[in-house]
Structures are given as C-alpha cells and as structure tokens.
Amino acid sequence: MARRKSRAGNGPSNEALRIARTIAYYGACLDRGVTHEQARALWAHDMTQPFTSCPEDVPPVLLARLEAEARRDAEAST
C-alpha cells in the first residue's frame, strides 16, 4: 500500500499514460475535424511518447489538446 501511495504522488504511470493516449486517439478519430491523414499519423505515433512528439502534419493545437486530455484522464485513474 505504501508503494502505491508513493507512486501515485509522482503522477500517472507510463502504462496509464499509454492507455490514456490510446483512448484520446480513438476519441480524436471520432472528431469530424481530424482528417484521415492526421488520424493515420496519430496511429503511427508511439503511444508511450507524448503526442507533442508527433509528426508535423498534425496541427500542434490538436496534439496539445490530446496530450492534455490523456494526462488528465491518466491522473484521474490513479
């Protein structure tokens, strides 16, 4: 129990962030404002890395929104 509390104080785990990024990706694909090419670039992205390291063919505003959403969801799950 002590280990869990100390780890939760450090923020979400890498696994929680990976899962949250995957969920944020699927949510973005349902958004009509995300093009097929952008969705493909997001899918090719390594979900263990922040969205902000995605290729440049995805708007930075979208990447920042997805990363913030993923971090918020990952922190809420811990």
PDB file of all heavy atoms in Angstrom, residues 45-61:
ATOM      1  N   HIS A  45       2.049   6.973 -34.346  1.00  0.00           N
ATOM      2  CA  HIS A  45       2.804   7.530 -33.224  1.00  0.00           C
ATOM      3  C   HIS A  45       2.953   6.487 -32.111  1.00  0.00           C
ATOM      4  O   HIS A  45       2.038   5.726 -31.824  1.00  0.00           O
ATOM      5  CB  HIS A  45       2.067   8.764 -32.695  1.00  0.00           C
ATOM      6  CG  HIS A  45       2.637   9.315 -31.436  1.00  0.00           C
ATOM      7  ND1 HIS A  45       3.884   9.888 -31.377  1.00  0.00           N
ATOM      8  CD2 HIS A  45       2.142   9.356 -30.182  1.00  0.00           C
ATOM      9  CE1 HIS A  45       4.114  10.274 -30.145  1.00  0.00           C
ATOM     10  NE2 HIS A  45       3.078   9.963 -29.397  1.00  0.00           N
ATOM     11  N   ASP A  46       4.111   6.451 -31.487  1.00  0.00           N
ATOM     12  CA  ASP A  46       4.374   5.568 -30.347  1.00  0.00           C
ATOM     13  C   ASP A  46       3.643   6.127 -29.130  1.00  0.00           C
ATOM     14  O   ASP A  46       3.991   7.195 -28.627  1.00  0.00           O
ATOM     15  CB  ASP A  46       5.880   5.513 -30.096  1.00  0.00           C
ATOM     16  CG  ASP A  46       6.262   4.648 -28.919  1.00  0.00           C
ATOM     17  OD1 ASP A  46       5.378   3.980 -28.342  1.00  0.00           O
ATOM     18  OD2 ASP A  46       7.446   4.636 -28.566  1.00  0.00           O
ATOM     19  N   MET A  47       2.624   5.411 -28.666  1.00  0.00           N
ATOM     20  CA  MET A  47       1.777   5.912 -27.582  1.00  0.00           C
ATOM     21  C   MET A  47       2.504   5.988 -26.237  1.00  0.00           C
ATOM     22  O   MET A  47       1.943   6.494 -25.273  1.00  0.00           O
ATOM     23  CB  MET A  47       0.520   5.047 -27.441  1.00  0.00           C
ATOM     24  CG  MET A  47      -0.397   5.107 -28.628  1.00  0.00           C
ATOM     25  SD  MET A  47      -1.055   6.751 -28.915  1.00  0.00           S
ATOM     26  CE  MET A  47      -1.920   6.499 -30.445  1.00  0.00           C
ATOM     27  N   THR A  48       3.739   5.508 -26.169  1.00  0.00           N
ATOM     28  CA  THR A  48       4.497   5.667 -24.927  1.00  0.00           C
ATOM     29  C   THR A  48       5.165   7.043 -24.869  1.00  0.00           C
ATOM     30  O   THR A  48       5.722   7.412 -23.844  1.00  0.00           O
ATOM     31  CB  THR A  48       5.569   4.567 -24.768  1.00  0.00           C
ATOM     32  OG1 THR A  48       6.504   4.666 -25.841  1.00  0.00           O
ATOM     33  CG2 THR A  48       4.938   3.190 -24.748  1.00  0.00           C
ATOM     34  N   GLN A  49       5.109   7.776 -25.965  1.00  0.00           N
ATOM     35  CA  GLN A  49       5.701   9.117 -26.044  1.00  0.00           C
ATOM     36  C   GLN A  49       4.587  10.157 -26.064  1.00  0.00           C
ATOM     37  O   GLN A  49       3.488   9.884 -26.537  1.00  0.00           O
ATOM     38  CB  GLN A  49       6.534   9.250 -27.327  1.00  0.00           C
ATOM     39  CG  GLN A  49       7.663   8.254 -27.434  1.00  0.00           C
ATOM     40  CD  GLN A  49       8.664   8.430 -26.312  1.00  0.00           C
ATOM     41  OE1 GLN A  49       9.068   9.546 -25.996  1.00  0.00           O
ATOM     42  NE2 GLN A  49       9.051   7.334 -25.688  1.00  0.00           N
ATOM     43  N   PRO A  50       4.848  11.371 -25.574  1.00  0.00           N
ATOM     44  CA  PRO A  50       3.829  12.419 -25.614  1.00  0.00           C
ATOM     45  C   PRO A  50       3.384  12.702 -27.054  1.00  0.00           C
ATOM     46  O   PRO A  50       4.162  12.580 -27.994  1.00  0.00           O
ATOM     47  CB  PRO A  50       4.534  13.644 -25.032  1.00  0.00           C
ATOM     48  CG  PRO A  50       5.672  13.104 -24.254  1.00  0.00           C
ATOM     49  CD  PRO A  50       6.075  11.821 -24.923  1.00  0.00           C
ATOM     50  N   PHE A  51       2.125  13.086 -27.207  1.00  0.00           N
ATOM     51  CA  PHE A  51       1.613  13.427 -28.534  1.00  0.00           C
ATOM     52  C   PHE A  51       2.379  14.576 -29.158  1.00  0.00           C
ATOM     53  O   PHE A  51       2.452  14.684 -30.376  1.00  0.00           O
ATOM     54  CB  PHE A  51       0.128  13.808 -28.458  1.00  0.00           C
ATOM     55  CG  PHE A  51      -0.802  12.625 -28.458  1.00  0.00           C
ATOM     56  CD1 PHE A  51      -1.622  12.384 -27.388  1.00  0.00           C
ATOM     57  CD2 PHE A  51      -0.852  11.762 -29.536  1.00  0.00           C
ATOM     58  CE1 PHE A  51      -2.493  11.310 -27.379  1.00  0.00           C
ATOM     59  CE2 PHE A  51      -1.715  10.684 -29.537  1.00  0.00           C
ATOM     60  CZ  PHE A  51      -2.541  10.452 -28.462  1.00  0.00           C
ATOM     61  N   THR A  52       2.944  15.433 -28.335  1.00  0.00           N
ATOM     62  CA  THR A  52       3.654  16.599 -28.860  1.00  0.00           C
ATOM     63  C   THR A  52       4.884  16.212 -29.677  1.00  0.00           C
ATOM     64  O   THR A  52       5.444  17.056 -30.364  1.00  0.00           O
ATOM     65  CB  THR A  52       4.043  17.541 -27.717  1.00  0.00           C
ATOM     66  OG1 THR A  52       4.743  16.804 -26.716  1.00  0.00           O
ATOM     67  CG2 THR A  52       2.807  18.182 -27.099  1.00  0.00           C
ATOM     68  N   SER A  53       5.287  14.946 -29.642  1.00  0.00           N
ATOM     69  CA  SER A  53       6.422  14.499 -30.457  1.00  0.00           C
ATOM     70  C   SER A  53       5.959  13.866 -31.762  1.00  0.00           C
ATOM     71  O   SER A  53       6.746  13.242 -32.462  1.00  0.00           O
ATOM     72  CB  SER A  53       7.286  13.519 -29.664  1.00  0.00           C
ATOM     73  OG  SER A  53       6.559  12.318 -29.405  1.00  0.00           O
ATOM     74  N   CYS A  54       4.692  14.046 -32.115  1.00  0.00           N
ATOM     75  CA  CYS A  54       4.128  13.521 -33.366  1.00  0.00           C
ATOM     76  C   CYS A  54       4.690  14.281 -34.567  1.00  0.00           C
ATOM     77  O   CYS A  54       5.205  15.379 -34.421  1.00  0.00           O
ATOM     78  CB  CYS A  54       2.615  13.690 -33.338  1.00  0.00           C
ATOM     79  SG  CYS A  54       1.718  12.167 -33.118  1.00  0.00           S
ATOM     80  N   PRO A  55       4.506  13.725 -35.754  1.00  0.00           N
ATOM     81  CA  PRO A  55       4.969  14.412 -36.973  1.00  0.00           C
ATOM     82  C   PRO A  55       4.291  15.762 -37.162  1.00  0.00           C
ATOM     83  O   PRO A  55       3.248  16.033 -36.589  1.00  0.00           O
ATOM     84  CB  PRO A  55       4.577  13.463 -38.102  1.00  0.00           C
ATOM     85  CG  PRO A  55       4.064  12.233 -37.493  1.00  0.00           C
ATOM     86  CD  PRO A  55       3.889  12.451 -36.036  1.00  0.00           C
ATOM     87  N   GLU A  56       4.872  16.558 -38.000  1.00  0.00           N
ATOM     88  CA  GLU A  56       4.397  17.921 -38.190  1.00  0.00           C
ATOM     89  C   GLU A  56       3.132  18.023 -39.020  1.00  0.00           C
ATOM     90  O   GLU A  56       2.554  19.094 -39.124  1.00  0.00           O
ATOM     91  CB  GLU A  56       5.508  18.767 -38.800  1.00  0.00           C
ATOM     92  CG  GLU A  56       6.674  18.915 -37.853  1.00  0.00           C
ATOM     93  CD  GLU A  56       7.824  19.671 -38.471  1.00  0.00           C
ATOM     94  OE1 GLU A  56       7.635  20.286 -39.534  1.00  0.00           O
ATOM     95  OE2 GLU A  56       8.902  19.634 -37.880  1.00  0.00           O
ATOM     96  N   ASP A  57       2.662  16.930 -39.633  1.00  0.00           N
ATOM     97  CA  ASP A  57       1.446  17.034 -40.431  1.00  0.00           C
ATOM     98  C   ASP A  57       0.184  17.012 -39.562  1.00  0.00           C
ATOM     99  O   ASP A  57      -0.916  17.033 -40.069  1.00  0.00           O
ATOM    100  CB  ASP A  57       1.380  15.980 -41.532  1.00  0.00           C
ATOM    101  CG  ASP A  57       1.957  14.636 -41.158  1.00  0.00           C
ATOM    102  OD1 ASP A  57       2.897  14.609 -40.374  1.00  0.00           O
ATOM    103  OD2 ASP A  57       1.469  13.624 -41.667  1.00  0.00           O
ATOM    104  N   VAL A  58       0.366  16.980 -38.236  1.00  0.00           N
ATOM    105  CA  VAL A  58      -0.750  17.073 -37.304  1.00  0.00           C
ATOM    106  C   VAL A  58      -0.629  18.431 -36.614  1.00  0.00           C
ATOM    107  O   VAL A  58       0.435  18.782 -36.115  1.00  0.00           O
ATOM    108  CB  VAL A  58      -0.712  15.930 -36.264  1.00  0.00           C
ATOM    109  CG1 VAL A  58      -1.894  16.030 -35.324  1.00  0.00           C
ATOM    110  CG2 VAL A  58      -0.681  14.568 -36.956  1.00  0.00           C
ATOM    111  N   PRO A  59      -1.718  19.220 -36.598  1.00  0.00           N
ATOM    112  CA  PRO A  59      -1.639  20.565 -36.000  1.00  0.00           C
ATOM    113  C   PRO A  59      -1.209  20.512 -34.526  1.00  0.00           C
ATOM    114  O   PRO A  59      -1.716  19.697 -33.751  1.00  0.00           O
ATOM    115  CB  PRO A  59      -3.076  21.089 -36.114  1.00  0.00           C
ATOM    116  CG  PRO A  59      -3.719  20.258 -37.171  1.00  0.00           C
ATOM    117  CD  PRO A  59      -3.041  18.926 -37.140  1.00  0.00           C
ATOM    118  N   PRO A  60      -0.284  21.385 -34.130  1.00  0.00           N
ATOM    119  CA  PRO A  60       0.190  21.408 -32.743  1.00  0.00           C
ATOM    120  C   PRO A  60      -0.931  21.629 -31.731  1.00  0.00           C
ATOM    121  O   PRO A  60      -0.875  21.123 -30.621  1.00  0.00           O
ATOM    122  CB  PRO A  60       1.187  22.573 -32.716  1.00  0.00           C
ATOM    123  CG  PRO A  60       1.591  22.771 -34.130  1.00  0.00           C
ATOM    124  CD  PRO A  60       0.439  22.326 -34.974  1.00  0.00           C
ATOM    125  N   VAL A  61      -1.965  22.370 -32.119  1.00  0.00           N
ATOM    126  CA  VAL A  61      -3.095  22.619 -31.218  1.00  0.00           C
ATOM    127  C   VAL A  61      -3.794  21.297 -30.900  1.00  0.00           C
ATOM    128  O   VAL A  61      -4.148  21.033 -29.749  1.00  0.00           O
ATOM    129  CB  VAL A  61      -4.079  23.632 -31.847  1.00  0.00           C
ATOM    130  CG1 VAL A  61      -5.337  23.768 -31.020  1.00  0.00           C
ATOM    131  CG2 VAL A  61      -3.402  24.961 -32.049  1.00  0.00           C
TER     132      VAL A  61
END
